[in-house]
């Protein structure tokens, strides 16, 4: 059996720095939901990348931000837990935004947990100012030791192949590829529905909701799915439903199209809206 480079890679950075876009570009398929709105990813998402010379488990973490409730604490703990698995860590810094306290908070965690082999990845080079990279590199290096630095653009697929080659320097040699756990259907379904909520609703509504699968059944090549969109306030329920039910219908139609890209069967998706107050402070965000 051929020798492979294998290992775990944590991807960390503040909200909207480009973690989800990077992992989806590497995998060449949708693994993590993407939005222009912050705090999109709520769970640690693992994606197994295989090529002829490597087997790499990427860990896409939620964005780090100040803790206000148990959901925030859980998301930040996902970041910390990533370092326990990781052979190297990708620290993503957005070239279009100033380094701020959120970035410094992540860097402090990397330092405190003695993360192995930190690769500084400067994102969004396609829309950043020209020749601005050195300013960011100098500031980051004053805070933490960096093993490698690379400027990328996930949207333009710039330097993605080179990033993979740099990562492989820090992986282990083995003859056994990593094994991917069977996909959690509930998680995939819930995330794709939540993505459409983020795209189609405004202001605080997307972040006052969570989605869970109430029931599902597969029979005769038909996947029957009943899912609940939980909101925090009674006033948010009519917003989610929309006039004459048009919003919930639109979310369901678009989510169903995304699900058809994953499941090779007919899909009957039914969505229900319920009010579940204070869900952020209860342990119900696991799928």
């Amino acid at each position: 059996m051929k020798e492979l480079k294998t290992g775990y890679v944590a991807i960390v950075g503040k909200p909207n720095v480009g973690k989800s876009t990077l992992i989806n570009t590497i995998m060449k398929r949708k693994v993590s939901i993407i939005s222009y709105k912050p705090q999109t990813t709520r769970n640690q998402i693992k994606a197994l990348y295989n090529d002829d010379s490597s087997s790499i488990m990427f860990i896409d973490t939620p964005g780090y931000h100040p803790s206000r409730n148990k959901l925030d604490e859980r998301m930040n703990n996902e970041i910390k837990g990533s370092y326990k698995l990781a052979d190297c860590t990708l620290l993503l810094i957005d070239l279009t935004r100033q380094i701020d306290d959120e970035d410094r908070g992540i860097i402090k965690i990397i330092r405190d947990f003695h993360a192995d082999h930190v690769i500084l990845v400067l994102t969004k080079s396609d829309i950043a100012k020209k020749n601005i990279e050195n300013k960011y590199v100098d500031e980051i290096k004053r805070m933490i030791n960096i093993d490698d630095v690379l400027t990328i653009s996930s949207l333009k697929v710039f330097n993605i192949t080179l990033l993979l080659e740099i990562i492989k320097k820090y992986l282990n040699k083995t003859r056994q590829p990593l094994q991917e756990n069977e996909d959690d259907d509930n998680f995939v379904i819930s995330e794709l529905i939540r993505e459409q909520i983020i795209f189609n609703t405004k202001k605080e509504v997307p972040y006052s909701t969570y989605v869970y699968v109430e029931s599902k059944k597969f029979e005769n090549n038909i996947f029957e799915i009943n899912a609940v969109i939980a909101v925090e306030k009674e006033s948010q329920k009519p917003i989610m439903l929309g006039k004459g039910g048009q919003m919930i219908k639109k979310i369901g139609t678009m989510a169903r199209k995304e699900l058809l890209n994953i499941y090779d069967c007919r899909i009957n998706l039914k969505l229900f809206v319920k009010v579940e107050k204070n869900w952020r402070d209860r342990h119900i965000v696991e799928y």
Side-chain angles (χ1 to χ4, degrees):
M1 187 178 291
K2 183 179 178 180
E3 192 171 71
L4 297 171
K5 286 293 198 76
T6 67
Y8 291 81
V9 177
I11 303 179
V12 298
K14 67 185 176 185
N16 265 0
V17 74
K19 298 185 301 295
S20 295
T21 307
L22 174 59
I23 196 72
N24 289 345
T25 301
I26 290 171
M27 299 300 295
K28 298 180 181 178
R29 63 183 175 89
K30 182 174 288 185
V31 175
S32 185
I33 68 172
I34 302 170
S35 167
Y36 61 90
K37 302 174 182 179
Q39 299 177 24
T40 303
T41 303
R42 286 182 182 165
N43 293 72
Q44 184 185 85
I45 297 170
K46 295 180 182 177
L48 181 59
Y49 170 86
N50 290 307
D51 61 22
D52 290 340
S53 63
S54 67
S55 181
I56 307 170
M57 186 70 78
F58 287 96
I59 307 169
D60 175 16
T61 62
Y64 180 88
H65 52 283
S67 296
R68 296 177 298 273
N69 49 56
K70 288 182 179 177
L71 174 61
D72 290 341
E73 290 173 12
R74 181 184 181 281
M75 291 168 70
N76 289 339
N77 284 336
E78 293 278 1
I79 297 173
K80 296 175 183 177
S82 300
Y83 302 123
K84 296 178 182 179
L85 286 174
D87 295 287
C88 73
T89 297
L90 306 186
L91 169 60
L92 270 61
I93 297 291
D94 185 343
L95 286 172
T96 68
R97 291 187 283 173
Q98 295 295 318
I99 294 171
D100 58 20
D101 288 341
E102 285 183 290
D103 296 303
R104 295 183 189 99
I106 294 167
I107 290 167
K108 183 179 185 303
I109 292 172
I110 293 173
R111 226 175 29 230
D112 291 348
F113 277 76
H114 306 289
D116 290 333
H117 306 305
V118 179
I119 303 171
L120 174 59
V121 181
L122 303 170
T123 66
K124 306 183 184 180
S125 65
D126 53 313
I127 56 174
K129 293 180 181 178
K130 299 294 184 183
N131 303 316
I132 199 172
E133 293 90 343
N134 289 341
K135 171 190 171 185
Y136 287 81
V137 173
D138 291 343
E139 187 169 350
I140 296 294
K141 282 187 173 180
R142 285 196 291 270
M143 293 183 271
I144 191 172
N145 292 326
I146 299 294
D147 291 271
D148 279 287
V149 178
L150 189 65
T151 301
I152 70 163
S153 167
S154 296
L155 290 178
K156 299 292 185 181
V157 199
F158 172 67
N159 271 348
I160 302 302
T161 300
L162 181 55
L163 177 60
L164 287 168
E165 292 306 311
I166 291 172
I167 289 168
K168 291 175 188 179
K169 293 194 305 183
Y170 304 111
L171 303 183
N172 308 301
K173 292 182 180 179
T174 179
R175 296 185 185 278
Q176 293 295 329
L178 298 177
Q179 297 298 313
E180 188 170 32
N181 293 327
E182 185 176 347
D183 285 340
D184 183 341
D185 285 334
N186 287 1
F187 177 75
V188 172
I189 293 164
S190 298
E191 284 292 273
L192 289 175
I193 295 168
R194 195 163 67 88
E195 179 178 50
Q196 297 310 320
I197 295 170
I198 291 170
F199 283 149
N200 289 287
T201 59
K202 298 178 181 179
K203 295 183 179 178
E204 81 285 354
V205 174
Y207 309 109
S208 300
T209 64
Y210 81 98
V211 181
Y212 61 92
V213 175
E214 193 167 54
S215 65
K216 63 182 187 292
K217 180 176 70 174
F218 185 82
E219 193 173 45
N220 299 322
N221 205 41
I222 300 174
F223 199 3
E224 302 270 359
I225 304 167
N226 291 334
V228 172
I229 299 172
V231 296
E232 291 180 311
K233 303 174 185 177
E234 288 288 348
S235 60
Q236 293 165 341
K237 188 172 180 179
I239 297 173
M240 192 61 63
L241 291 170
K243 186 177 181 179
Q246 288 302 305
M247 177 58 73
I248 195 72
K249 182 179 179 181
K250 183 178 181 182
I251 290 168
T253 298
M254 296 177 73
R256 181 178 173 275
K257 287 180 180 178
E258 293 291 342
L259 289 167
L260 285 169
N261 292 327
I262 298 174
Y263 301 104
D264 187 19
C265 62
R266 287 177 57 191
I267 293 176
N268 290 340
L269 174 63
K270 294 181 181 178
L271 299 179
F272 305 89
V273 181
K274 295 182 180 180
V275 178
E276 298 191 16
K277 298 178 181 178
N278 302 319
W279 64 263
R280 296 172 191 264
D281 285 318
R282 302 201 301 274
H283 294 286
I284 54 176
V285 292
E286 297 272 10
Y287 297 113

